[in-house]
Amino acid sequence: MKKSELKSFLDEKAAYYENPTFLDSDPIQIPHLFSLKEDIEIIGFLTATIAWGNRKSIINNAHKMVALMGNSPYDFVLNHTQENLEALSNFVHRTFNGTDFTFFIKALQHLYTFHGGLEAIFTQYQSKDSLQPAITELKKHFFEIEHLPRSQKHLSDPSKGSAAKRINMFLRWMCRPATKGVDFGLWNISTAKLSCPLDVHSGNVARKLKLIKRKQNDAKTLLELDHSLRKLDHNDPVKYDFAIFGLGVFESF
């Protein structure tokens, strides 16, 4: 397929899948329950953190997170009591358990109290053409308070070779415009710097489309995918996440 044909094909698929019906089966429906910016970004971050495995299970467990935080994520993060935290102890989603959930609440409180919150971290540490360095800095600040080593695995680090699929998905949610009723457009960060969420499924579709060649789904392959997608749309390369995801999940491409 020629580049022009590929772009036309992916533009059509991206436009087809980026609409409100996408919310019906996707974890992004959880932050859509809220209107306050901080509620959206906090529950979006927590939902993205557990976004691996069965999507129905992800959505159900994200709803449990919301309930455990009294349906007010930002207020809970800032003003929780020890008793509130103890109520999180039985939460579990795969390997993310109540201990991890409790630490994430404390770490988010630390970020919003001392670092200006999630958007401020990504704004401060973004590079000229990427948000990947900012993910690394987020992890540094996130774990600068006391924590158990087990919780570190739940926040990826591109500088260690990770494709950071879940956090890149979260960044798409926060930065891409809300005009189609899916993403939120909450953060004043250029969509040109976003990277496509890369995992085994999106990687397989991207290889079939000859967008990437490497077999691993790691930070180097993500850079290769960034390069290909930015050739197709320099200003909004991650709109193609909808096309790649839709082709893989709904069309078994």
Side-chain angles (χ1 to χ4, degrees):
M1 195 181 300
K2 295 179 180 179
K3 179 183 174 181
S4 60
E5 294 173 334
L6 178 62
K7 175 174 171 53
S8 179
F9 174 70
L10 291 178
D11 282 341
E12 180 181 341
K13 292 296 182 182
Y16 177 77
Y17 287 110
E18 188 183 359
N19 69 78
T21 62
F22 185 85
L23 306 182
D24 294 343
S25 61
D26 194 84
I28 197 176
Q29 67 183 258
I30 303 298
H32 272 280
L33 297 171
F34 298 93
S35 57
L36 182 69
K37 173 182 181 289
E38 291 82 3
D39 281 338
I40 293 169
E41 59 193 19
I42 286 171
I43 195 57
F45 178 78
L46 291 170
T47 299
T49 297
I50 65 166
W52 83 100
N54 178 273
R55 283 191 294 155
K56 184 177 180 181
S57 176
I58 294 164
I59 292 166
N60 287 341
N61 285 326
H63 277 294
K64 291 178 183 177
M65 282 181 153
V66 170
L68 286 166
M69 291 187 286
N71 298 300
S72 299
Y74 184 48
D75 181 66
F76 187 90
V77 162
L78 290 188
N79 302 307
H80 60 265
T81 64
Q82 184 58 36
E83 184 179 3
N84 294 146
L85 294 179
E86 289 171 0
L88 310 183
S89 61
N90 292 325
F91 180 84
V92 61
H93 176 81
R94 297 173 73 93
T95 63
F96 187 93
N97 64 17
T99 298
D100 303 311
F101 192 7
T102 298
F103 169 73
F104 267 58
I105 295 299
K106 292 179 178 179
L108 285 165
Q109 183 188 57
H110 176 73
L111 287 185
Y112 279 86
T113 303
F114 297 104
H115 295 292
L118 287 163
E119 181 182 8
I121 293 287
F122 283 98
T123 299
Q124 180 178 354
Y125 294 109
Q126 62 184 317
S127 71
K128 181 181 178 181
D129 58 2
S130 178
L131 292 177
Q132 301 313 291
I135 299 176
T136 296
E137 294 302 321
L138 170 69
K139 184 162 188 175
K140 289 179 184 177
H141 288 308
F142 207 77
F143 289 99
E144 65 191 10
I145 64 172
E146 185 178 357
H147 63 279
L148 294 175
R150 61 158 289 119
S151 295
Q152 293 188 28
K153 67 187 176 187
H154 295 296
L155 189 54
S156 300
D157 184 351
S159 73
K160 304 296 185 184
S162 174
K165 179 252 183 177
R166 286 169 285 168
I167 192 73
N168 281 314
M169 179 180 69
F170 167 71
L171 290 169
R172 192 206 86 201
W173 294 355
M174 294 301 104
C175 299
R176 289 198 69 256
T179 50
K180 298 288 186 68
V182 182
D183 294 324
F184 291 94
L186 285 177
W187 291 1
N188 188 27
I189 293 175
S190 172
T191 57
K193 299 182 180 185
L194 293 172
S195 293
C196 192
L198 175 66
D199 61 12
V200 61
H201 305 293
S202 58
N204 287 340
V205 173
R207 288 181 190 91
K208 289 177 181 177
L209 293 169
K210 298 188 176 358
L211 293 168
I212 55 176
K213 295 180 180 179
R214 296 183 81 253
K215 294 182 179 180
Q216 302 92 328
N217 296 309
D218 57 13
K220 289 183 178 179
T221 304
L222 184 66
L223 187 62
E224 184 183 2
L225 183 58
D226 284 347
H227 183 71
S228 293
L229 295 182
R230 289 170 187 178
K231 282 185 175 179
L232 299 177
D233 190 327
H234 178 73
N235 293 320
D236 188 17
V238 179
K239 73 180 182 185
Y240 296 116
D241 181 34
F242 292 100
I244 292 170
F245 179 85
L247 285 167
V249 171
F250 301 117
E251 301 186 36
S252 300
F253 181 81

